[in-house]
Amino acid sequence: MSAVLEVRNLSASIAGQQVVEDVSFTVPATGVTAVLGRNGVGKTSTIKAVLGLIDRTGTVLLDGEPIDREPTHRIVRRGVGYVPEDREVFTGLTVEENLRLAVRDREPRRDLVEALFPDLVRRSAQRAGTLSGGQQQMLSMARALLNRNRLLLVDEPTKGLAPKIVTELAVALEEAARTVPILLVEQNLQVIERLAQDVVVIDGGRVVHAGPAADLLGDEAAVRRYLGVHAEEPGAAPPRTHRTAEEARP
Ligand SMILES: Nc1ncnc2c1ncn2[C@@H]1O[C@H](COP(=O)(O)OP(=O)(O)O)[C@@H](O)[C@H]1O
Ligand SMILES: [Mg+2]
């Protein structure tokens, strides 16, 4: 299958410290590819390096065209949507104002967004700062989905949210993935099992495993080694400590 994104030998540093080291992977043109790994291993940095938000070296191809020398705004204009880890909605603005500010296309996909997030329609006049964490996450996703993107980068959308909201978000992501390929940073194994075809596991800034999601989830020892959890534990998610990858290693 053709790849929408091809990352080759990507390295990146933050404040002089290398946080992404020689990372290579591809994202198929359909479905969900999950990026996983313990806290602090470089998942967010990898996404930011793809977007040019942090200094990077290496090759990044979007539909076969290099984007690794381009500034972030051009990459976004080429059709790369981003739902950041900390949601980044404008808290002082209403839901509707947040959506309107996100529109890039001449004909935004209002119907899709309203079908996926009916709660946001009901809350269109509400200030985003007064939404729950889950509702803010939905707003952040809605902002990205309004535009016709070639690829969506979604960073830990379910982090810190209640199980019911996690399920709602997973359903929305599943629907969204029918319209756009998604590279999803996610630590919730149930969500990965439900959504992801392929996985890329990062540890210490490097790719330590890549392949079909089912293969990884079926390998209890590998899941424990990479994430420190049991795949079959209900609601299993890696411990949310702030250990570095080095400290987290057994
Ligand atoms: N703004 C920053 N300043 C300094 N170090 C950072 C910054 N952001 C991330 N890092 C460091 O980069 C490494 C990778 O972080 P990150 O990519 O956020 O990991 P993950 O998303 O996998 O939790 C960590 O060691 C983290 O401490
Ligand atoms: Mg992160």
Side-chain angles (χ1 to χ4, degrees):
M1 195 196 295
S2 68
V4 62
L5 188 76
E6 200 174 329
V7 174
R8 278 191 230 137
N9 311 113
L10 184 68
S11 293
S13 304
I14 299 176
Q17 190 204 345
Q18 193 163 18
V19 290
V20 179
E21 289 186 50
D22 203 25
V23 161
S24 300
F25 63 90
T26 57
V27 179
T30 57
V32 176
T33 302
V35 176
L36 54 164
R38 293 177 164 102
N39 286 315
V41 296
K43 304 181 298 296
T44 296
S45 301
T46 299
I47 300 280
K48 287 187 172 176
V50 167
L51 280 164
L53 287 168
I54 57 175
D55 287 342
R56 77 288 202 205
T57 60
T59 304
V60 182
L61 304 175
L62 180 70
D63 283 329
E65 294 171 20
I67 58 167
D68 44 77
R69 298 291 174 88
E70 299 213 349
T72 303
H73 69 274
R74 284 232 190 87
I75 296 172
V76 169
R77 236 186 279 149
R78 277 172 177 269
V80 179
Y82 179 39
V83 184
E85 190 168 25
D86 41 18
R87 288 150 203 168
E88 287 179 14
V89 296
F90 296 104
T91 53
L93 301 182
T94 66
V95 167
E96 172 58 25
E97 287 165 345
N98 266 275
L99 292 176
R100 243 187 282 161
L101 270 171
V103 170
R104 196 175 69 229
D105 290 358
R106 202 179 297 260
E107 289 173 35
R109 297 197 298 185
R110 281 266 170 190
D111 292 352
L112 172 75
V113 163
E114 288 173 9
L116 285 180
F117 306 111
D119 200 27
L120 291 182
V121 179
R122 285 191 290 275
R123 295 173 186 277
S124 60
Q126 190 175 331
R127 274 189 356 144
T130 66
L131 297 173
S132 71
Q135 290 158 351
Q136 288 191 12
Q137 185 64 55
M138 288 175 190
L139 179 55
S140 188
M141 273 173 48
R143 287 170 51 92
L145 288 167
L146 275 175
N147 300 303
R148 280 166 187 76
N149 285 304
R150 292 203 256 180
L151 172 68
L152 213 54
L153 307 172
V154 185
D155 196 351
E156 295 221 45
T158 69
K159 187 168 161 184
L161 300 177
K164 185 171 166 282
I165 311 294
V166 169
T167 304
E168 276 182 51
L169 278 167
V171 170
L173 279 164
E174 199 169 27
E175 284 297 315
R178 290 185 218 285
T179 68
V180 62
I182 299 177
L183 182 64
L184 173 70
V185 178
E186 181 58 65
Q187 304 217 43
N188 183 310
L189 294 177
Q190 269 81 41
V191 173
I192 290 170
E193 185 171 23
R194 174 176 188 145
L195 298 179
Q197 296 151 205
D198 300 294
V199 293
V200 178
V201 184
I202 295 184
D203 198 2
R206 293 174 171 273
V207 173
V208 292
H209 173 93
D215 290 0
L216 176 70
L217 295 174
D219 185 344
E220 202 193 315
V223 169
R224 202 172 327 119
R225 186 162 67 245
Y226 296 139
L227 305 169
V229 290
H230 300 276
E232 73 280 14
E233 264 174 34
R240 310 219 62 95
T241 59
H242 290 280
R243 291 180 303 175
T244 65
E246 281 304 320
E247 291 162 342
R249 255 175 222 138

